[in-house]
Amino acid sequence: MRITQVLFKNVSNLIQRFSRYRQSSLSIEKFTSFGKTAKPIESFKFGRNELRVRLAHAISEIDLLPENLLKISSVELVRGWYVQSFSEVTEFQDAQETDEVFKRYTQCLMDIKQRHKYVVETMAQGIMELREKEGDDAFHPSVQYFLGAIENAAFLCEHYYCAAPEVEISEFNAVDLKKPIQMAYVPEHLYHMLFELLKNAMRAVVEQHGSNISIPPIKMMITKGRQDMTIKISDQGGGIPRSTIDQVFEYHYTSASEPLKAGPASPIAGYGYGLPLSRLYARYFDGELQLYSMEGFGTDAVIWLKALSAEASENLPQYTKRTPKNYEARLSAQHGRGRRDLPQIQWHRNKFM
């Protein structure tokens, strides 16, 4: 029976069932090796099950968001996308392993990718709508759990401010001094992190120094050791006060009163998801992103990535029966001690079997 003919209640039961399965953590090495050597049937067998598990986990996590946020139309839309994608993948659970099925499955994946293209922006819009409606006090701690770089950042900065600082790049390969730095990584993840950090740095420098010809440059240092590849982006944009440095990684925080846009171009600031999403990308393959700031002078943004693709494994949150209780504990802590003392959500890792 096709899932489109199944009652909504049965879909909900399937989601609950698959949310109890553990997600399989893959390393970048496994991704690249699988892409080079795997046959369509292997991809089909793994994907139709693993995708349902991951989508079910995402839906279950969304369902734990505060009720006031879940009622926002943008958030309802995002949840509907995940349920629709889960339903479409489920249609292949008993499908025959034929070339025609593989073709339809591939098209299904392409449709899902397109559908989820604007999940982050749509969720950010929902959070902004909630903030406008109820103010910052409406935010529950669980909200924090959910949500050419140089050329494009410079173009956007010039488009909005009519000026952009130069970017000076240097590198140091400690593994082999004679070779440029190379590593395997997800291009879209790396682009987003660099674009966001460069965009923020350029905006800060121009707002601090104005659009004159003596704008100090942004310096990017790239190093590679035996364990880590590190990227440091340094600006002289005035820095961030220590009292607010942690807030910049909250999904609803922004230093702009509203999205700063110029025509049809992407906003340079204002949605409040750029930095937290960038850190999420860094942590996804067991890396990290941190800011070190000197108020009145500037900020260093540092990205650490695994130098060896075999060690860069997915860092996946696991939805369990304990997860709702963790959220309840965090809510109680918020009321009892204040948000600054809240414990961080724990991320549990598992090995790919």
Side-chain angles (χ1 to χ4, degrees):
M1 178 181 292
R2 292 174 63 84
I3 197 66
T4 50
Q5 299 173 332
V6 178
L7 295 175
F8 176 78
K9 180 179 179 181
N10 291 342
V11 177
S12 299
N13 290 339
L14 276 175
I15 291 172
Q16 292 180 13
R17 171 189 164 193
F18 276 87
S19 70
R20 292 193 291 267
Y21 298 151
R22 291 183 65 84
Q23 302 175 87
S24 299
S25 178
L26 302 175
S27 67
I28 290 180
E29 183 181 57
K30 286 189 174 74
F31 274 112
T32 55
S33 176
F34 194 82
K36 292 177 181 178
T37 62
K39 298 178 181 179
I41 188 173
E42 296 174 303
S43 177
F44 177 70
K45 287 182 175 180
F46 178 79
R48 66 178 174 182
N49 289 316
E50 182 64 20
L51 276 175
R52 283 188 291 173
V53 173
R54 297 195 180 198
L55 289 168
H57 275 249
I59 295 167
S60 297
E61 293 284 0
I62 291 174
D63 287 342
L64 292 177
L65 286 170
E67 289 186 8
N68 55 353
L69 184 56
L70 284 171
K71 294 178 181 178
I72 298 295
S73 59
S74 298
V75 178
E76 290 179 337
L77 179 62
V78 169
R79 188 187 186 280
W81 288 343
Y82 277 94
V83 172
Q84 183 178 350
S85 297
F86 179 89
S87 300
E88 290 177 358
V89 175
T90 301
E91 292 185 12
F92 292 92
Q93 66 179 9
D94 297 320
Q96 297 295 317
E97 296 159 0
T98 64
D99 291 341
E100 178 60 29
V101 169
F102 297 157
K103 184 178 180 180
R104 288 196 297 109
Y105 175 72
T106 301
Q107 183 59 50
C108 173
L109 296 184
M110 294 173 64
D111 292 342
I112 290 174
K113 180 180 179 181
Q114 182 64 30
R115 179 181 303 124
H116 291 258
K117 185 176 181 180
Y118 298 107
V119 162
V120 175
E121 291 86 348
T122 308
M123 283 294 293
Q125 181 63 37
I127 292 174
M128 290 179 65
E129 291 173 10
L130 181 61
R131 182 171 61 184
E132 292 172 358
K133 182 179 180 181
E134 301 186 25
D136 288 338
D137 292 339
F139 291 100
H140 185 290
S142 63
V143 174
Q144 300 307 322
Y145 190 35
F146 288 70
L147 297 158
I150 295 176
E151 289 81 1
N152 288 346
F155 171 82
L156 190 59
C157 189
E158 290 176 350
H159 193 58
Y160 189 84
Y161 294 104
C162 299
E166 295 291 328
V167 179
E168 299 177 354
I169 303 175
S170 57
E171 66 175 287
F172 181 78
N173 189 347
V175 178
D176 192 334
L177 298 176
K178 297 180 180 180
K179 293 184 178 180
I181 293 176
Q182 293 183 331
M183 69 172 295
Y185 205 75
V186 181
E188 291 82 0
H189 290 197
L190 187 60
Y191 172 86
H192 180 94
M193 290 184 286
L194 294 177
F195 177 74
E196 183 63 29
L197 294 178
L198 287 165
K199 174 168 64 71
N200 289 349
M202 289 180 179
R203 176 192 170 207
V205 169
V206 174
E207 291 186 351
Q208 177 77 3
H209 297 275
S211 56
N212 56 64
I213 59 175
S214 60
I215 301 177
I218 293 171
K219 298 183 179 181
M220 179 186 295
M221 180 66 180
I222 308 170
T223 67
K224 183 178 181 180
R226 298 194 178 280
Q227 295 186 33
D228 300 325
M229 191 186 91
T230 308
I231 304 171
K232 183 175 75 171
I233 298 175
S234 304
D235 69 64
Q236 296 180 38
I240 305 169
R242 188 172 67 89
S243 61
T244 61
I245 194 72
D246 291 335
Q247 296 179 33
V248 301
F249 287 109
E250 296 180 356
Y251 280 98
H252 62 276
Y253 177 83
T254 175
S255 59
S257 58
E258 60 182 21
L260 303 179
K261 298 187 68 173
S266 300
I268 194 168
Y271 281 124
Y273 63 78
L275 277 175
L277 184 62
S278 295
R279 186 165 68 173
L280 192 63
Y281 276 136
R283 291 177 172 178
Y284 190 79
F285 283 110
D286 211 14
E288 185 57 275
L289 189 160
Q290 292 289 348
L291 298 182
Y292 302 95
S293 191
M294 300 176 67
E295 185 185 12
F297 181 74
T299 302
D300 288 349
V302 184
I303 302 172
W304 288 274
L305 305 174
K306 292 292 186 180
L308 300 178
S309 59
E311 297 180 359
S313 297
E314 290 180 294
N315 199 356
L316 300 173
Q318 299 293 339
Y319 178 86
T320 67
K321 292 182 178 180
R322 180 64 190 172
T323 305
K325 296 180 180 179
N326 290 339
Y327 282 132
E328 291 172 5
R330 286 170 60 81
L331 182 57
S332 298
Q334 179 188 21
H335 293 310
R337 299 198 304 270
R339 292 178 58 185
R340 184 171 290 276
D341 297 327
L342 288 174
Q344 296 296 314
I345 294 176
Q346 298 298 312
W347 288 57
H348 304 285
R349 298 186 56 193
N350 62 296
K351 298 298 182 181
F352 173 64
M353 304 302 291

